[in-house]
């Protein structure tokens, strides 16, 4: 029998877990261990049971304070209020499988404590438990079950617990797993299927192995001069060799040499490339700063980006465009195979490129640029105050907005020093041509931010490792390569055909025969097709916010 102190501890744990009150499922055993009926109790904060034991589940659930009240109610309704985690006398294999899955939650960047691991362990380790306690704990197990399943399948950043409907297929999957002794395998199968998620799971496991074998007592790297390059000596070099070897960048076996030789230079270059730095093989201030970031922070970075990857739609099949803002890259995937990529310029910190999921539907050659109001007010009007010929010099026109038919306005007719910016009746449009800020081509996908992909006449920025310079739209280094990939099968046009068409003075719209899903994402860590783990600076300072949500046990 369970010792009274242990049983009292379990009861007190349940009471504290209950908050003010929640719905409990008890069973009427009669003279057998078979569940005969579902009886529902409300457990008050004092732990006392009401005199009238049997209440209607639907009415009772309205008073429940359980965070997952709705999906729990739906799950038990699907099961006709049968217990899931015991046979009425002892815990069954479902309970053991769930606890095992919770213990492995760290593999998916989740924390077992968020799913009441200690409380469930107390229940399972009890040598005997009375039926009332079994019925009460059934709710606790189910709460952990639904919460873990929703986090693995939908992510912890999507408020997944509140997205359940009575007809949510996940509830039917969970119910089927409970009836078929398949709790653990079902939870594992709920993971996203795309490689962006799976590669991060592998990367997280590898970095935890690195954490286990790395020397945490080793002092941070220090520079005694501005930088070290090929042929330089330093007493810090052996420490650098050991660290780069732990991360897999240095493959040599000489850990004592103080010389920065060719092997070490290549290792430094590889590390720099993985971290979005200029891959010159020189040990400078930025590289040392990245090397000194502790391994636990890198693991944390992998975990929060694993949570971001879970929020992506299913991109395991078909064609998809993916823009990663911190990587300054655009990728085109066909059935998860990378078929095209381009460097991009994204929004600066005060003009952040937004996260978007949409469908790319058309391409415009020789586009007009309809200048946003914010740019007109903040940049073009001040430029006109300095130079009245600014519009003409930049191939821009002033158009009326006070009628359906836009008319051209003479800019000299406006006093640019006395503008009521809240009530302007004009807009600025840049004509197609060599000076057009959108270049010779843009790609349209519907979104409320008026963001699009486009060419640019300014090419020098693509040579920089960090490229956050736009007002929010995304500039492509090789836009005609992307256009060729998107239309070649339908129209047979090559990159050079498109270039010729784009040089015309008139805009031309090309509609895609099939729209292409496009996802603008924010990933500061990822693993590529070769399994190489990449990290990038948090240019918009969004990681802190995600971490707060990720490590909030109430989510």
């Amino acid at each position: 029998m369970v010792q009274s102190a242990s049983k009292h501890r379990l009861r007190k744990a349940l009471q504290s877990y209950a908050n003010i009150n929640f719905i409990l499922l008890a069973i009427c055993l009669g003279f057998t261990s078979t569940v005969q009926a579902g009886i529902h109790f409300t457990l008050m904060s004092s732990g006392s049971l009401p005199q009238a034991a049997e209440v209607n589940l639907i009415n009772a659930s309205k008073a429940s304070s359980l965070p997952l009240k709705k999906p729990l109610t739906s799950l038990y309704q699907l099961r006709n209020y049968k217990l899931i985690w015991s046979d009425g006398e002892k815990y069954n294999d479902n309970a053991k499988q769930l606890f095992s899955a919770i213990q492995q939650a760290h593999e998916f960047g989740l924390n077992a404590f968020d799913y009441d691991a200690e409380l469930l362990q107390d229940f399972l380790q009890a040598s005997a438990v009375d039926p009332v306690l079994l019925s009460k704990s059934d709710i606790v197990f189910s709460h952990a079950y639904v919460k873990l399943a929703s986090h693995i399948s939908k992510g912890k950043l999507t408020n997944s617990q509140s997205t359940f409907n009575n007809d949510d297929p996940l509830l039917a999957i969970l119910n089927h797993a409970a009836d078929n002794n398949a709790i653990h395998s079902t939870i594992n199968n709920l993971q996203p299927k795309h490689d962006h998620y799976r590669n991060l799971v592998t990367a997280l496991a590898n970095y935890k192995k690195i954490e286990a074998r790395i020397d945490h007592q080793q002092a941070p790297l220090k520079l005694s001069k501005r930088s070290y390059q090929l042929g330089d000596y330093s007493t810090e070099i052996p420490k650098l060799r050991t660290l780069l070897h732990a991360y897999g960048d240095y493959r040599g076996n000489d850990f004592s040499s103080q010389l920065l030789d060719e092997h070490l230079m290549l290792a430094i270059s590889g590390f720099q490339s993985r971290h979005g730095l200029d891959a010159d093989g020189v040990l400078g201030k930025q590289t040392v700063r990245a090397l000194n970031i502790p391994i636990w922070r890198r693991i944390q970075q992998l975990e929060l980006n694993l949570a971001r990857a879970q929020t992506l739609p299913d991109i395991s099949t078909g064609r998809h465009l993916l823009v990663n803002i911190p990587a300054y890259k655009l990728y085109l995937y066909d059935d998860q195979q990378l078929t095209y990529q381009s460097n991009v310029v994204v929004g600066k910190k005060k003009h952040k490129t937004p996260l978007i999921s949409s469908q790319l539907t058309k391409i415009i050659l020789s586009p007009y640029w309809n200048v946003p109001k914010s740019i007109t007010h903040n940049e073009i009007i001040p430029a006109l105050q300095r130079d009245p010929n600014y519009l003409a010099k930049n191939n821009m026109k002033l158009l009326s907005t006070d009628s359906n038919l836009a008319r051209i306005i003479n800019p000299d007719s406006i006093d640019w020093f006395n503008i009521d910016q809240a009530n302007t009746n004009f807009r600025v449009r840049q004509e197609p041509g060599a000076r057009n800020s959108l270049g010779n081509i843009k790609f349209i996908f519907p979104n409320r931010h008026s963001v699009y992909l486009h060419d640019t006449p300014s090419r020098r920025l693509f040579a920089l490792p960090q490229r956050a310079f736009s007002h929010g739209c995304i500039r492509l280094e090789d836009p005609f390569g992307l256009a060729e990939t998107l239309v070649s099968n339908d129209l047979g046009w090559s990159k050079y055909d498109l270039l010729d068409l784009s040089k015309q003075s008139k805009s031309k719209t090309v509609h895609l025969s099939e729209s292409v899903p496009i996802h603008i994402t924010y990933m500061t860590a990822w693993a590529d097709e070769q399994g190489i783990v990449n990290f990038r600076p948090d240019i918009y300072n969004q990681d802190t916010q995600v971490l707060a949500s990720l490590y909030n046990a109430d989510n």
Side-chain angles (χ1 to χ4, degrees):
M1 295 295 291
V2 179
Q3 294 180 358
S4 59
S6 175
K7 186 179 291 188
H8 176 72
R9 181 164 56 87
L10 291 177
R11 291 187 183 278
K12 293 297 289 183
L14 263 175
Q15 291 170 20
S16 63
Y17 183 89
N19 198 4
I20 298 174
N21 60 51
F22 63 75
I23 304 311
L24 294 170
L25 185 68
I27 56 166
C28 180
L29 291 176
F31 296 101
T32 72
S33 62
T34 305
V35 176
Q36 300 294 328
I39 303 177
H40 305 84
F41 296 96
T42 299
L43 181 66
M44 309 309 293
S45 58
S46 64
S48 62
L49 296 177
Q51 293 300 312
E54 188 172 2
V55 295
N56 183 280
L57 174 66
I58 297 175
N59 291 333
S61 65
K62 292 178 181 178
S64 171
S65 65
L66 269 179
L68 302 185
K69 176 182 66 176
K70 183 176 178 181
L72 282 179
T73 301
S74 300
L75 181 62
Y76 279 107
Q77 285 173 339
L78 273 175
R79 297 185 54 75
N80 240 357
Y81 310 120
K82 285 168 52 184
L83 291 174
I84 301 175
W85 311 103
S86 76
D87 59 7
E89 293 182 346
K90 63 182 183 303
Y91 293 108
N92 57 25
D93 197 49
N94 281 343
K96 297 170 186 175
Q97 287 189 43
L98 175 61
F99 183 68
S100 176
I102 289 172
Q103 286 182 306
Q104 295 177 13
H106 65 91
E107 296 177 8
F108 314 121
L110 302 172
N111 191 329
F113 292 103
D114 289 348
Y115 313 102
D116 301 296
E118 288 187 343
L119 181 57
L120 300 188
Q121 185 175 34
D122 281 345
F123 289 141
L124 289 171
Q125 288 179 347
S127 58
V129 185
D130 63 69
V132 173
L133 193 57
L134 283 172
S135 65
K136 293 176 181 178
S137 64
D138 210 81
I139 290 288
V140 182
F141 275 92
S142 293
H143 181 268
Y145 182 40
V146 173
K147 190 175 183 181
L148 178 62
S150 64
H151 284 168
I152 286 179
S153 64
K154 302 179 183 183
K156 202 176 176 186
L157 304 180
T158 57
N159 198 20
S160 55
Q161 299 170 21
S162 63
T163 61
F164 282 91
N165 298 311
N166 288 339
D167 58 350
D168 192 310
L170 182 58
L171 290 175
I173 292 170
L174 298 180
N175 182 42
H176 183 267
D179 284 338
N180 289 274
N181 198 32
I183 297 292
H184 200 160
S185 60
T186 296
I187 288 174
N188 283 338
N189 289 336
L190 291 173
Q191 297 177 77
K193 302 297 188 290
H194 56 81
D195 289 341
H196 302 285
Y197 173 83
R198 293 183 178 275
N199 291 346
L200 271 171
V201 170
T202 302
L204 178 61
N206 289 338
Y207 264 66
K208 286 183 176 180
K209 290 177 183 175
I210 295 172
E211 183 184 36
R213 64 174 182 261
I214 206 167
D215 182 5
H216 297 278
Q217 303 304 315
Q218 181 172 282
L221 287 167
K222 292 182 180 178
L223 293 175
S224 58
K225 64 176 185 175
R226 185 172 183 177
S227 65
Y228 292 89
Q229 46 195 311
L230 184 65
D232 285 346
Y233 285 85
S234 171
T235 54
E236 295 290 285
I237 295 297
K239 191 191 301 182
L240 174 65
R241 290 176 182 273
T242 301
L243 189 58
L244 288 176
H245 184 268
Y247 283 126
D249 298 291
Y250 176 58
R251 307 275 176 95
N253 53 16
D254 183 355
F255 301 106
S256 59
S257 173
Q258 297 183 5
L259 170 67
L260 201 163
D261 56 21
E262 288 186 3
H263 293 293
L264 187 57
M265 184 187 74
L266 289 174
I268 294 170
S269 178
F271 178 89
Q272 291 168 329
S273 179
R274 293 195 303 110
H275 291 76
L277 303 171
D278 190 10
D280 56 8
V282 175
L283 184 65
K285 186 188 298 184
Q286 285 188 318
T287 303
V288 167
R289 186 182 297 122
L291 283 161
N292 282 337
I293 292 176
I295 183 71
W296 66 266
R297 282 198 179 276
R298 291 305 189 193
I299 289 172
Q300 196 177 65
Q301 199 173 352
L302 288 167
E303 288 177 342
L304 71 90
N305 283 282
L306 190 58
R308 285 176 171 141
Q310 285 179 301
T311 66
L312 287 172
D314 183 11
I315 53 176
S316 58
T317 59
R319 171 169 280 191
H320 298 268
L321 279 164
L322 198 70
V323 177
N324 186 6
I325 294 169
Y328 310 108
K329 283 278 192 181
L330 175 142
Y331 309 92
L332 177 66
Y333 293 94
D334 286 293
D335 293 324
Q336 299 205 87
Q337 297 300 309
L338 181 63
T339 53
Y340 168 88
Q341 62 178 308
S342 174
N343 289 332
V344 302
V345 171
V346 300
K348 59 187 75 171
K349 191 171 182 178
K350 67 177 181 179
H351 297 297
K352 298 179 180 66
T353 297
L355 306 186
I356 295 170
S357 283
S358 185
Q359 299 281 329
L360 195 152
T361 56
K362 58 187 175 183
I363 299 169
I364 299 177
L365 302 166
S366 300
Y368 291 96
W369 180 38
N370 293 300
V371 181
K373 280 186 178 181
S374 60
I375 297 178
T376 298
H377 293 158
N378 297 330
E379 298 180 27
I380 291 182
I381 290 177
L384 280 163
Q385 291 170 348
R386 294 189 300 269
D387 180 3
N389 295 316
Y390 177 84
L391 294 181
K393 288 178 179 178
N394 288 278
N395 199 22
M396 291 178 170
K397 290 182 178 177
L398 206 61
L399 302 176
S400 66
T401 58
D402 53 5
S403 66
N404 291 332
L405 185 62
R407 57 183 176 83
I408 297 175
I409 300 174
N410 184 346
D412 293 336
S413 67
I414 296 177
D415 182 356
W416 295 109
F417 290 92
N418 291 289
I419 292 287
D420 181 2
Q421 295 194 6
N423 295 293
T424 53
N425 61 350
F426 60 81
R427 62 185 174 89
V428 178
R429 184 181 74 184
Q430 190 173 37
E431 304 299 294
R435 293 186 178 181
N436 189 290
S437 294
L438 306 186
N440 293 313
I441 186 171
K442 73 175 181 178
F443 302 79
I444 303 298
F445 45 95
N447 65 90
R448 64 185 178 88
H449 306 281
S450 299
V451 165
Y452 39 81
L453 312 175
H454 66 88
D455 185 17
T456 176
S458 179
R459 316 301 300 174
R460 61 181 179 82
L461 297 177
F462 292 109
L464 302 176
Q466 296 173 1
R467 300 183 291 275
F469 298 106
S470 83
H471 286 85
C473 286
I474 298 163
R475 306 174 195 170
L476 298 174
E477 183 176 34
D478 180 26
F480 287 95
L482 175 60
E484 178 184 39
T485 305
L486 294 176
V487 305
S488 58
N489 289 341
D490 294 334
L491 302 174
W493 291 348
S494 71
K495 181 176 183 176
Y496 304 102
D497 294 329
L498 290 161
L499 274 166
D500 287 340
L501 287 168
S502 73
K503 291 174 183 175
Q504 299 176 4
S505 59
K506 216 172 179 185
S507 271
K508 179 179 179 61
T509 300
V510 178
H511 293 273
L512 301 184
S513 60
E514 290 187 18
S515 60
V516 178
I518 179 169
H519 308 291
I520 301 177
T521 65
Y522 191 92
M523 304 285 291
T524 57
W526 72 94
D528 65 18
E529 293 72 25
Q530 288 75 45
I532 296 173
V533 184
N534 287 261
F535 297 96
R536 292 295 184 272
D538 180 18
I539 59 173
Y540 292 164
N541 295 328
Q542 293 187 0
D543 281 3
T544 302
Q545 182 180 351
V546 172
L547 278 173
S549 178
L550 188 62
Y551 296 124
N552 181 356
D554 292 332
N555 280 357

